[in-house]
Amino acid sequence: MSKAMESHSQGKTLMLESHTDLERGVIPASFGRSAFDVGPAARGKPRTQRSLAFDILKAVVVSFFLLNIPSIHWFHKNTADGTPSLSTQVRIGAIPPNETSEFCPQAAPLLPIKHADLVKKLDAVYCDEDYRLAAYKALSGAVQIPTESYDDLGPVGVDPRWDTFAKLHEYLEKTFPAVFSTLEVTKVNTYGIVLRWQGSDATLLPVLLTAHQDVVPVEPATAKDWIHPPYSGHYDGTWVWGRGSGDDKSDLIASLHAITALLEQGFTPTRTFVWAYGFDEEAAGTQGAGQLAVYLEKEYGANGFAALLDEGGSYGTPYGPSVIFATPSLAEKGYIDIRLEVSTPGGHSSRPPPHTGIGILAALLVALEAHPHDAALVRGGSAYNSTLCAAAYGPTFPEPLRRLAFKAAAGGGSNSDADADADRALEELKDALLAAYPANAALLRTTQAVDLVAGGVKVNALPELASAVVNHRIAQHDRVVGVQAHLAGVVRPLAAQFGLTVDAFGRAVPAGDGRGGHVRLSDAWGTALEPSPVTPTGAGDAYQVLAGTIKATLESARGYNASGVVVAPQLVLGNTDTRYYWALTKNIFRYKHLSEKDRFNGAHTINEAVRAEAWIESIRFYTRFILNFDEHL
Ligand SMILES: [Zn+2]
C-alpha cells in the first residue's frame, strides 16, 4: 500500500481565528466543512456572511498564490504583544510537526495518567534483554506453524487443510497461559478466537482489537529463494524470518504479549476489551471474520463497540527523515470482480468467422483498458486530506505540489472567480500528483485489473464460451453501480458492432441483434462491496485517542530522533477483516505499529521478516492503546 499521499483534515476552524473580523474572513468557508463532506451538495454550498473585507482579503491570498510565492503556509501565531503579525503568518515550506496546521489538525500525544507508573514499569520490562528474547521466541514459534489460507478452501470441518489452525491454538494456549486462563475465551466456527477481558464498568462500550491467524501461502517454487526457510521463524540477531512475521502474526503475538504483561502487573480494566482473531483474512474472510462478525453483533449489538483496531497503515518518513508520518487508515476502497462472458455460435475451425468469441472478448478487454476509470481528487476525501497533511508538514513534499494544495484548499465550490481558481488548482494538483506519484494513482481512481481469462476447449472447435474476470477496487467517490455502468458503457458499442445482445448485471441493454452471440456482465462471485464508511475524526471522537497514542508511543520509543510525528490518516487500497465489522462501530482504525523499514521485504512475497527490536514497539503500542482507551475515551 502506498504511504505518501493520503491523509485527512478536519478543517473545523479558521486558520487566523478570533483576532479581528478581517482575519476571521481570511480563510474561505471550505475550511469550515466537516472532514468528509464530499457530496456535490456540500461542494456547491452557498456561503453565508460574506463581507467586502472577506473578498478583499481573499483576493490578497489568491494573488499571493498567483504570484507563485513558494509554499505559503498560513498559520496562527501572535507577536509578543499578542497582536498577529503578517510576517509571522506567512511561512515558506512545511511547518514543524509540533505546530498545528488547520490543513491537517493534530492530536496531542496522549499518556496514561492513572497508570503512569505502570507504563514506566512496563517500558523497563520491554527493554529487558531476556524479555525481548522470550518475546521473539514466541513470535518465531507462531511463524513455524504454517497456517496458510487458500482461495479454494472448503468449510471448516470439511476441508482438512484447516487442521493446522488447531496446532496454532494449542501453541498459543501453551505460550500465553495467563491470557487463556484469565480472559473469557470463545471459539467461533472452531478456529475464530474471541478473548474478552471484562471491565469493571459495564456501562462503557467495549473496545475491539483484531488480528488474523492465517498467512498467504508460500509459492513452492520460491521457497529456495528465501534467505531463511519460510517457516523457520529463524531469529538472526536482527530479524525474525518467516511467512507471517510481519503479516499478521506480528500483531497476533504482540497483542497477546501486551495482555500478558498487563496481567502480570495486576492491571484490571475499567472498560471491557475484546480481541477477535480471524483465520482466513488472506482468503475471503467468510469462515473467520465473516462468522466472528455475526457472533460479535449478536453478543454486543450493532454499534456495540466504542472502537475497533485492525491491521492497516503503518508509519515511516516519506518526506525526509526529520518527520515521522503515521498513517492509520480510516476508510477502505470498495470491491467488485466483474465477469465478462461472451457466448458465440460454435462450429468447425476450418470455416471461422472473422472474430471468434475469444477474439471478441479480447476486443472488449482492450477497450476496457483503454478506458480506465476517471481519477478524482475530492475535497474532504481521504486522498485530498492526506495530500494536505503532506503539504503542511512534509519537508520534502514537492514545492509546486505544496503550492497547488494550499491554493486548492483556499476555496472552491462556488461560482466566484476565486473559487473557480481554487477548483482549477485542485484539478492541476490531481494531475501533478498522478505525475509525481504514479504508483499512488490507485488512491485517486477505481482500479481495474484483468486477472482471469478462460475460453475454448479444442483447437478445431470454435469457442462457444469465453470469459474473463476483472478485479476492481472502488474509489471513495465511486460506487458499485457506477463501476457496473462504466463497464456496460464500454461494452455496448462493441457489442453492437459484433452483433451481440448484452445482459449487464441482470438487465438487457440495447446493443446488437444477437446474430453474433451474447455478452453477459455479472458480479463474478457475488462479493461486491461499496467503499467503506469513513471513521470520524472530530474533537470528541475515538480517533483522537488513537492519534494521541500513536504519537506518545513513537515519541517515547528507544532511538527516537525525529523532530516530530504527524498522524495523517489515509485510505487502504485493499480490504482487511474489517469489511465484515462495519456494523460493530463507526470508529474503525486500520493500523499496524510497524514501520516499512522494519519489514525486510514487501507483503505477500519472499523473505518476509520483521526487525525484532522494532516489533517490540508494537507491544508498547498495544499496551498504551489499552491503557489510553481504558482511561481517556
Ligand atoms: Zn494481513
Side-chain angles (χ1 to χ4, degrees), residues 353-368:
H355 304 284
T356 67
I358 292 174
I360 293 170
L361 176 67
L364 298 180
L365 297 178
V366 168
L368 264 190

Side-chain angles (χ1 to χ4, degrees), residues 258-579:
I259 305 169
T260 301
L262 287 164
L263 282 171
E264 281 174 359
Q265 298 296 329
F267 171 74
T268 52
T270 308
R271 181 185 296 278
T272 296
F273 286 83
V274 177
W275 285 260
Y277 301 131
F279 57 92
D280 59 345
E281 195 272 348
E282 303 290 6
T286 49
Q287 299 283 307
Q291 306 277 326
L292 284 163
V294 174
Y295 166 81
L296 292 168
E297 194 172 340
K298 200 172 110 234
E299 214 45 34
Y300 296 89
N303 288 309
F305 289 92
L308 159 55
L309 175 67
D310 191 27
E311 62 173 340
S314 57
Y315 63 89
T317 52
Y319 306 110
S322 63
V323 182
I324 296 174
F325 276 73
T327 54
S329 301
L330 301 187
E332 58 189 63
K333 291 181 89 174
Y335 187 100
I336 185 171
D337 288 318
I338 294 180
R339 176 176 285 122
L340 292 89
E341 280 172 305
V342 176
S343 319
T344 44
H348 201 282
S349 305
S350 58
R351 280 178 186 272
H355 304 284
T356 67
I358 292 174
I360 293 170
L361 176 67
L364 298 180
L365 297 178
V366 168
L368 264 190
E369 291 198 343
H371 295 87
H373 293 258
D374 288 339
L377 190 58
V378 182
R379 285 195 177 86
S382 295
Y384 172 83
N385 287 333
S386 63
T387 301
L388 287 189
C389 285
Y393 301 108
T396 65
F397 187 70
E399 291 301 332
L401 271 66
R402 199 189 320 268
R403 278 203 295 281
L404 282 171
F406 295 152
K407 192 169 168 182
S414 85
N415 293 326
S416 76
D417 288 351
D419 279 351
D421 203 53
D423 288 342
R424 263 195 303 279
L426 188 66
E427 271 303 295
E428 269 183 63
L429 176 62
K430 179 196 74 187
D431 295 338
L433 284 169
L434 288 170
Y437 303 101
N440 284 350
L443 294 169
L444 303 185
R445 62 157 51 102
T446 296
T447 56
Q448 53 182 19
V450 183
D451 286 333
L452 298 175
V453 66
V457 289
K458 188 84 175 67
V459 78
N460 59 356
L462 295 171
E464 291 170 310
L465 193 65
S467 68
V469 178
V470 186
N471 175 261
H472 296 82
R473 308 299 175 122
I474 306 172
Q476 252 180 331
H477 61 265
D478 211 346
R479 288 292 174 267
V480 168
V481 69
V483 178
Q484 292 174 332
H486 177 88
L487 258 88
V490 172
V491 162
R492 199 175 144 191
L494 279 168
Q497 186 188 320
F498 290 117
L500 307 172
T501 52
V502 177
D503 173 335
F505 309 97
R507 291 174 59 180
V509 174
D513 60 11
R515 260 179 280 183
H518 182 65
V519 57
R520 180 167 174 264
L521 306 180
S522 62
D523 178 348
W525 339 101
T527 50
L529 182 72
E530 297 291 358
S532 75
V534 180
T535 301
T537 58
D541 285 317
Y543 168 79
Q544 301 296 337
V545 181
L546 173 85
T549 304
I550 293 172
K551 280 197 177 189
T553 309
L554 284 168
E555 291 179 4
S556 61
R558 272 220 304 204
Y560 171 78
N561 63 355
S563 65
V565 176
V566 172
V567 182
Q570 63 169 326
L571 172 75
V572 69
L573 298 177
N575 298 108
T576 69
D577 271 344
T578 57
R579 86 193 94 159

Side-chain angles (χ1 to χ4, degrees), residues 212 247-248 281-282 311 592 604:
H212 61 91
D247 179 12
D248 185 32
E281 195 272 348
E282 303 290 6
E311 62 173 340
K592 179 188 279 288
H604 299 190

